Amino acid sequence: MTSTRPFHMNDLFRFNNVNLDILTETFNMPFYLQYMSRWPELFTVAEAPDGSIAGYMLGKSEGSGALWHGHVSAVTVAPLYRRLGLAKTLMEDLESTSSNVYNAYFVDLFVRSSNSLAISMYEKFGYITYRRVLGYYSGDDPEDALDMRKALPRDKNRQSVIPLDKPVLPEDLEW
């Protein structure tokens, strides 16, 4: 049975089986270290029975006022452990911490607009498409992102998940 635990510094040298996958966005070491030092309770590992890393969640809290929220920077599961509910477990952990520790209004994430599998998964978890961000992903093949959100109990009227009518540019993002 897979268990979850906080991400440890040594895990940075053990998660290539998860990161070296075409569906996974990867970051440089200082990025991971910043999250580990600032939001350790939102950096979680799913550990397989043999001690290998089956997946991880990288999140943070940000915003102000009614835009105070939890943000999913990355959730990824190694190919061998997909379709077992690990992503759901990791997402629920971040949502719970965002609500109970940070008292956030919502959780948001960005996903490539072409990643229909991930979009479908997030919709099953209760996320809605709040807005499209034009050209969010840069590089050789620029791509739009969908900003998906899920309201948390603090947002009693669900104001944070009323979709916008028009797409936005990356420079228009609040955070």
Side-chain angles (χ1 to χ4, degrees), residues 62-69 103-106 154 175:
E62 61 185 359
S64 64
L67 294 177
W68 178 246
H69 66 283
N103 197 26
Y105 286 92
F106 61 95
R154 185 174 183 190
W175 310 106

Side-chain angles (χ1 to χ4, degrees), residues 127-148:
Y127 287 76
I128 61 96
T129 299
Y130 174 70
R131 60 186 166 184
R132 177 178 287 268
V133 184
L134 302 174
Y136 181 81
Y137 294 100
S138 59
D140 293 337
D141 190 18
E143 186 173 352
D144 296 350
L146 299 183
D147 177 357
M148 299 186 77

Side-chain angles (χ1 to χ4, degrees), residues 39-142:
W39 305 283
E41 60 285 337
L42 295 174
F43 200 172
T44 307
V45 166
E47 191 172 66
D50 67 0
S52 65
I53 295 176
Y56 67 87
M57 165 67 69
L58 180 65
K60 64 182 176 178
S61 59
E62 61 185 359
S64 64
L67 294 177
W68 178 246
H69 66 283
H71 175 73
V72 177
S73 297
V75 58
T76 188
V77 175
L80 182 62
Y81 297 99
R82 291 191 181 140
R83 302 224 180 265
L84 299 175
L86 292 181
K88 183 174 177 47
T89 298
L90 291 166
M91 292 291 290
E92 287 173 346
D93 182 62
L94 183 132
E95 292 163 9
S96 175
T97 302
S98 294
S99 181
N100 298 327
V101 174
Y102 289 103
N103 197 26
Y105 286 92
F106 61 95
V107 171
D108 80 341
L109 57 91
F110 295 94
V111 61
R112 289 181 182 275
S113 60
S114 65
N115 192 344
S116 58
L117 283 174
I119 293 166
S120 175
M121 177 186 74
Y122 295 131
E123 288 172 344
K124 287 178 187 168
F125 297 167
Y127 287 76
I128 61 96
T129 299
Y130 174 70
R131 60 186 166 184
R132 177 178 287 268
V133 184
L134 302 174
Y136 181 81
Y137 294 100
S138 59
D140 293 337
D141 190 18

